[in-house]
Amino acid sequence: MTLTPKQRVELHEFNNLTKSLSFNMYDICYTKTKEERQAYIEYIDEQYNSDRLTQILIAVSDIIGAHVLNVAKQDYVPQGASVTVLVSEGPVVEVPTESFEESPGPLPDNVVLQLDKSHITVHTYPEYHPDEGISTFRADIDVSTCGEISPLKALNYLIHSFDTDIMTIDYRVRGFTRDINGHKLFIDHEISSIQNYIPDEVVDAYHMIDVNVYQEHIFHTKCKLKKFDLNNYLFGYTKDKLSPQEQAEITELLKTEMDEIFYGRNISS
């Protein structure tokens, strides 16, 4: 059933649809020694501490037009951080029809939209391989909204907020709302792919795979950076400090790690 933007907001009562975006990013690094590994983890903990993560989530709430009700944040020992932001609906002057279009969302100072009661959370997970010198940093962000708009409008900003080698993105619409005639609506906007909410320059930079269950309003996209430059994965030095054999071995380790994360399975050597 195709609905116009006007029809979508002619509801019996409040829009009870729940729209959830899960954004997972991975940064991968080669840390040859224990000291390099510790330095990398300390760098990540400083770069993405709870204060920085709070700034990112508050910017997300601004993009989707939310009022921040409460912020809970925590830095963990030995590493990692979590932030949860509870938000409520912002002032609504008119229905933003662009919120129904499959297009990348704004960056913080461009457009403000509205949403209803919601929460935004982030958790970080720095970790490392015990033997092979691979260190990874993962951040999981969840944006859950009720109301007219989709949290996919925050995706553009989230992608620009992290230095990301691999992304996995999930979007789902749950529940139902009713129009003025009592007819159930299980989704209130058109969507064919999460990729349509990602800017073209980002789409061009990544290998992307979609796994969608359209009849259940479940959408999944995973992304792996196309360009590989070993210098971007060495912490504290450049590849000219390595022999050609070392460069080849480290490249193989890094690419295998990225493929395993991207495909979600261990790959035999």
Side-chain angles (χ1 to χ4, degrees):
M1 181 179 181
T2 301
L3 301 174
T4 68
K6 181 179 179 181
Q7 288 172 320
R8 288 177 185 133
V9 296
E10 292 179 349
L11 301 179
H12 168 59
E13 289 183 342
F14 175 73
N15 189 331
N16 291 311
L17 290 170
T18 298
K19 302 164 188 175
S20 298
L21 170 69
S22 293
F23 172 78
N24 310 95
M25 61 75 60
Y26 298 83
D27 178 76
I28 300 165
C29 185
Y30 180 78
T31 49
K32 184 176 182 180
T33 66
K34 182 178 179 180
E35 290 73 23
E36 288 177 12
R37 183 175 67 213
Q38 186 60 38
Y40 172 74
I41 290 175
E42 289 176 358
Y43 165 78
I44 288 295
D45 265 1
E46 177 62 28
Q47 186 74 10
Y48 296 108
N49 60 35
S50 62
D51 288 336
R52 167 80 192 288
L53 295 172
T54 298
Q55 293 174 1
I56 291 173
L57 296 197
I58 288 177
V60 169
S61 69
D62 287 342
I63 287 171
I64 56 181
H67 289 304
V68 175
L69 298 177
N70 184 62
V71 176
K73 60 183 179 178
Q74 180 66 51
D75 290 298
Y76 297 110
V77 176
Q79 65 238 4
S82 296
V83 180
T84 298
V85 178
L86 297 179
V87 295
S88 66
E89 183 179 2
V92 180
V93 177
E94 61 182 77
V95 176
T97 56
E98 68 267 24
S99 69
F100 300 113
E101 298 176 357
E102 284 190 325
S103 60
L107 295 176
D109 57 356
N110 296 117
V111 180
V112 175
L113 305 177
Q114 96 266 16
L115 88 167
D116 211 305
K117 307 170 193 69
S118 179
H119 66 270
I120 310 168
T121 65
V122 59
H123 305 281
T124 67
Y125 305 88
E127 68 90 48
Y128 54 88
H129 191 285
D131 302 317
E132 294 184 349
I134 297 290
S135 294
T136 62
F137 165 66
R138 182 176 110 237
D140 296 348
I141 297 179
D142 294 291
V143 184
S144 183
T145 70
C146 294
E148 297 297 329
I149 72 161
S150 165
L152 285 166
K153 287 298 181 181
L155 185 55
N156 185 16
Y157 171 70
L158 289 173
I159 292 172
H160 282 81
S161 298
F162 295 91
D163 185 13
T164 305
D165 296 310
I166 296 171
M167 300 180 288
T168 60
I169 308 163
D170 293 278
Y171 178 66
R172 182 175 185 181
V173 181
R174 300 194 303 271
F176 67 88
T177 191
R178 294 182 186 273
D179 66 16
I180 55 177
N181 298 313
H183 183 77
K184 293 185 183 71
L185 302 177
F186 293 93
I187 192 167
D188 63 355
H189 64 101
E190 304 291 338
I191 175 173
S192 58
S193 172
I194 292 173
Q195 293 190 37
N196 296 331
Y197 292 86
I198 301 175
D200 290 341
E201 65 271 16
V202 176
V203 172
D204 292 341
Y206 287 84
H207 296 289
M208 293 191 174
I209 297 176
D210 276 1
V211 181
N212 300 321
V213 186
Y214 296 101
Q215 65 271 26
E216 299 295 335
H217 311 307
I218 298 173
F219 303 87
H220 173 79
T221 297
K222 51 187 178 181
C223 320
K224 183 180 71 168
L225 200 62
K226 291 178 181 178
K227 184 179 179 181
F228 182 90
D229 182 348
L230 183 56
N231 283 329
N232 294 332
Y233 298 91
L234 300 174
F235 192 74
Y237 59 97
T238 55
K239 64 184 180 183
D240 58 358
K241 304 296 183 181
L242 303 170
S243 69
Q245 181 178 348
E246 287 177 313
Q247 292 183 35
E249 291 174 351
I250 294 170
T251 295
E252 180 65 23
L253 285 174
L254 288 165
K255 288 188 174 181
T256 298
E257 182 79 3
M258 294 173 69
D259 285 344
E260 289 182 343
I261 294 172
F262 183 63
Y263 292 109
R265 59 184 176 87
N266 290 305
I267 298 174
S268 299
S269 301

